[in-house]
Amino acid sequence: MSEKTPPPTTTTTKAATLSRPCVLIIAMAGVERFANKGVGSNLVTYLTGVVGMSTAAAAKSVIAWNGVSFMLPLVSAILADSYWDDRYCTIAVSSLLYVLGMVALTTWALLRTRMRRSTLFFPLYLMSIGQGGYQPSLQAFGADQLSIGDDDDDDTEPSATPEEKAKVKSMFFQWWYFGMCSGSLLGNSTMSYVQDNFGWGLGFAIPSAVMAISVAAFFCCTPLYKQQTQAKGSGNKPSPNSVFKVLKSILASRKISLPSRDDNGDAASELELQEKPLKAEPADDTKESSLDDEAAPGVAKVILGLLPIWAILLVFAVIFQQPMTFFTKQGMLMDHTIGVGSGSFVIPPAMLQSSITVSIILLVPMYDRMIIPLINAVTGGSDGITVLQRIGVGMVLSVVAMVTAALVESWRLRVAPAVRLTIFWLLPQYVLLGISDVFTVVGMQEFFYTQVPASMRTTGIGLYLSVFGVGGFLGAFLITALEMATARPGNARGWFSDDPREARLDNFYWFLALLCFISFVIFTHLCKYYNGKSASGR
């Protein structure tokens, strides 16, 4: 019998999907945001109304705390990529510290009358340490679970095209942010109400319990994960000193060289070629060390090329802090009561932060199905917009949001005290910032994750998070500088006076809008150097 000729193979395009472990990790990210926002979204109210701090001092404390929380992921990411065995262990240890800090904060709130004010910051910063290791490792660990089609590993799926891999990667970052914002929505809306109406002890205990349950679920689901444990010296990750050699190379550099317009990712390709010999002869420690020395400048070139974009995004990070600080304080000066008499309902000002997350939750599912097709219809293209264009759109929207906030505050000052504006006049600025986040924050995640070598992906995510950390410190510095610059006799705090008749938050919002506009102009110039495919997100 003659052998039958096999039928011609047909190439079928698999639908881009996320694996079950990946979805589980996204859900855990949402739970972490619920716990974090359940504590942080209303913290400025707790510091001013319960602890007794001034408005400016409370705002700077919250901003500094957030700054440290966003800076520590970069430190832990470098350690995770250099010394620690795998991301799973990093998540395990940091999650326990996270829960311990939340439990300590709840205990402090219950025993507040017996505690010194300064001790409040110990549990808060213990949470920051836990979050520093938990957040970037969890996101990188979730990206490790990516798949094309069924349950196949993205790294071992031979039939997956680069376009399919890019699509599922973009889908992960969008749904990751969707999950985080869903958790933030619940934390902002429910916990601020519980804290204002049922007490701060209960308001801190609930997020602590939820976070503890999430950590327990993470350990129970361990068999489902694709763990990429990388042994030292295997060549699959940098050797213990390689990342620090990168930092040393960066510090030793006298200038920042932007990638050429014609590079098209050649720097990353050059790096991969330099890494190959590390995998060929891992047993030769001397040769591995010398090759690490040669590879470090290549890695440094990649990171140095990201620093200009990183620096320009700091102003956006300052604006990112406003809903938790001055937007909330602004709402406390407005009418936030619905109804009259016994049927009235008092809206906690921090609850309006939920409008940001609602905007994000509604917009993320629409992005690929409506926004990208609309952009393609207008431009006549088929690839939508690049990652950098997405970031730029968000920056423009953040400028519009701050202009709107300044106009609303100016109007409030003009009509007060004769008329007390309703708090719902703040909704436009919240919604605009939410839409801005969908473009800028999601774009930042994908940009920094894809612009570094595969062995330094956790560091890339830490670099993205550090934008908000340094931006927090920059925001605190701006408040202090403007306090000093605008102080007047009888008003030592200037624009940030505790007296609502003397405070001028509208001027501060105009100042931030101007800074963000200037940074956007510089950003558009820098984008000319990132026209390669590696920055397109496609």
Side-chain angles (χ1 to χ4, degrees):
M1 182 179 292
S2 60
E3 184 177 353
K4 294 183 179 180
T5 303
T9 58
T10 58
T11 303
T12 59
T13 303
K14 295 184 179 181
T17 58
L18 299 177
S19 62
R20 286 176 294 177
C22 190
V23 173
L24 177 63
I25 295 297
I26 291 175
M28 291 183 59
V31 172
E32 186 274 333
R33 283 295 88 187
F34 168 83
N36 186 275
K37 290 294 183 180
V39 171
S41 64
N42 208 22
L43 188 59
V44 69
T45 304
Y46 183 68
L47 295 178
T48 55
V50 178
V51 181
M53 299 176 66
S54 66
T55 300
K60 286 188 288 186
S61 297
V62 173
I63 290 175
W65 174 62
N66 277 287
V68 171
S69 299
F70 281 113
M71 277 297 297
L72 287 176
L74 180 58
V75 177
S76 66
I78 292 174
L79 292 174
D81 283 341
S82 300
Y83 287 100
W84 298 335
D85 288 340
D86 56 35
R87 291 163 184 153
Y88 178 87
C89 293
T90 306
I91 296 170
V93 174
S94 59
S95 63
L96 296 178
L97 292 176
Y98 206 144
V99 172
L100 180 61
M102 299 196 71
V103 171
L105 179 64
T106 303
T107 304
W108 195 97
L110 294 173
L111 304 176
R112 181 182 61 83
T113 55
R114 304 178 184 178
M115 307 294 289
R116 300 179 61 180
R117 177 192 293 184
S118 59
T119 59
L120 169 63
F121 295 98
F122 172 76
L124 286 174
Y125 282 97
L126 183 58
M127 287 177 55
S128 296
I129 295 173
Q131 180 186 340
Y134 187 81
Q135 200 172 36
S137 297
L138 187 68
Q139 187 170 9
F141 190 72
D144 291 341
Q145 316 302 313
L146 292 177
S147 66
I148 303 292
D150 300 322
D151 291 326
D152 298 316
D153 190 343
D154 180 49
D155 294 331
T156 60
E157 175 57 68
S159 62
T161 65
E163 290 77 12
E164 289 172 332
K165 292 183 178 182
K167 186 175 181 180
V168 76
K169 186 179 297 180
S170 180
M171 178 187 295
F172 167 76
F173 286 111
Q174 288 189 92
W175 286 103
W176 170 273
Y177 200 54
F178 178 87
M180 292 181 68
C181 290
S182 299
S184 297
L185 173 62
L186 289 175
N188 291 335
S189 59
T190 60
M191 289 301 97
S192 58
Y193 180 80
V194 170
Q195 289 159 0
D196 286 359
N197 293 275
F198 297 99
W200 292 91
L202 181 62
F204 289 152
I206 294 176
S208 302
V210 171
M211 185 65 188
I213 294 173
S214 172
V215 172
F218 174 79
F219 290 123
C220 291
C221 297
T222 297
L224 298 177
Y225 307 138
K226 300 174 184 177
Q227 298 187 43
Q228 298 182 356
T229 304
Q230 299 167 333
K232 294 180 181 180
S234 65
N236 294 329
K237 69 172 183 177
S239 65
N241 293 321
S242 61
V243 175
F244 293 99
K245 292 174 182 176
V246 170
L247 298 180
K248 181 180 179 181
S249 177
I250 291 174
L251 294 175
S253 301
R254 295 184 178 180
K255 62 180 181 178
I256 295 177
S257 57
L258 292 171
S260 170
R261 299 186 191 185
D262 300 325
D263 278 355
N264 292 329
D266 289 344
S269 300
E270 177 186 357
L271 176 63
E272 293 297 330
L273 290 174
Q274 290 171 336
E275 285 181 339
K276 286 181 180 179
L278 291 175
K279 300 178 182 180
E281 298 179 9
D284 191 341
D285 294 337
T286 304
K287 188 171 183 179
E288 181 180 355
S289 177
S290 63
L291 288 169
D292 278 345
D293 291 336
E294 295 174 2
V299 180
K301 181 180 178 182
V302 173
I303 296 179
L304 282 171
L306 299 178
L307 288 184
I309 296 293
W310 180 90
I312 287 301
L313 290 171
L314 292 178
V315 177
F316 175 81
V318 173
I319 293 177
F320 187 83
Q321 307 288 337
Q322 302 312 306
M324 290 186 295
T325 54
F326 290 117
F327 280 15
T328 299
K329 190 64 180 180
Q330 191 179 5
M332 295 172 65
L333 302 174
M334 304 175 79
D335 183 10
H336 48 280
T337 302
I338 299 178
V340 293
S342 58
S344 62
F345 175 77
V346 178
I347 302 174
M351 187 178 287
L352 255 66
Q353 295 176 38
S354 302
S355 59
I356 295 179
T357 51
V358 169
S359 304
I360 296 171
I361 289 171
L362 293 177
L363 192 58
V364 166
M366 296 168 53
Y367 184 81
D368 285 324
R369 292 176 174 84
M370 297 181 62
I371 297 178
I372 292 300
L374 180 62
I375 292 174
N376 290 335
V378 173
T379 61
S382 59
D383 294 331
I385 60 176
T386 67
V387 172
L388 290 175
Q389 288 171 342
R390 182 171 185 167
I391 295 173
V393 170
M395 294 178 70
V396 172
L397 290 172
S398 67
V399 173
V400 177
M402 297 315 299
V403 170
T404 303
L407 292 174
V408 171
E409 179 63 11
S410 298
W411 185 26
R412 186 193 69 80
L413 291 172
R414 282 199 301 269
V415 300
V419 178
R420 198 177 183 201
L421 293 181
T422 176
I423 196 173
F424 292 111
W425 279 107
L426 298 180
L427 279 177
Q429 63 203 57
Y430 278 102
V431 172
L432 284 169
L433 279 183
I435 300 174
S436 170
D437 286 357
V438 172
F439 286 90
T440 301
V441 177
V442 176
M444 287 170 61
Q445 291 179 14
E446 186 171 354
F447 179 75
F448 285 102
Y449 180 83
T450 57
Q451 292 297 297
V452 298
S455 59
M456 295 180 63
R457 291 282 166 79
T458 309
T459 302
I461 293 174
L463 193 63
Y464 140 71
L465 291 172
S466 70
V467 172
F468 298 97
V470 177
F473 293 119
L474 177 61
F477 169 78
L478 287 177
I479 293 174
T480 301
L482 290 173
E483 268 188 308
M484 298 172 61
T486 61
R488 297 291 183 271
N491 181 12
R493 300 191 183 279
W495 290 352
F496 310 104
S497 174
D498 292 330
D499 188 343
R501 296 170 299 179
E502 298 178 348
R504 293 304 304 267
L505 291 179
D506 56 332
N507 290 340
F508 180 57
Y509 295 152
W510 283 117
F511 179 74
L512 291 181
L514 177 62
L515 282 183
C516 193
F517 176 76
I518 295 173
S519 66
F520 170 73
V521 173
I522 300 174
F523 176 81
T524 56
H525 173 71
L526 291 176
C527 287
K528 298 176 183 178
Y529 299 94
Y530 295 87
N531 287 339
K533 294 180 181 179
S534 60
S536 68
R538 297 287 175 186

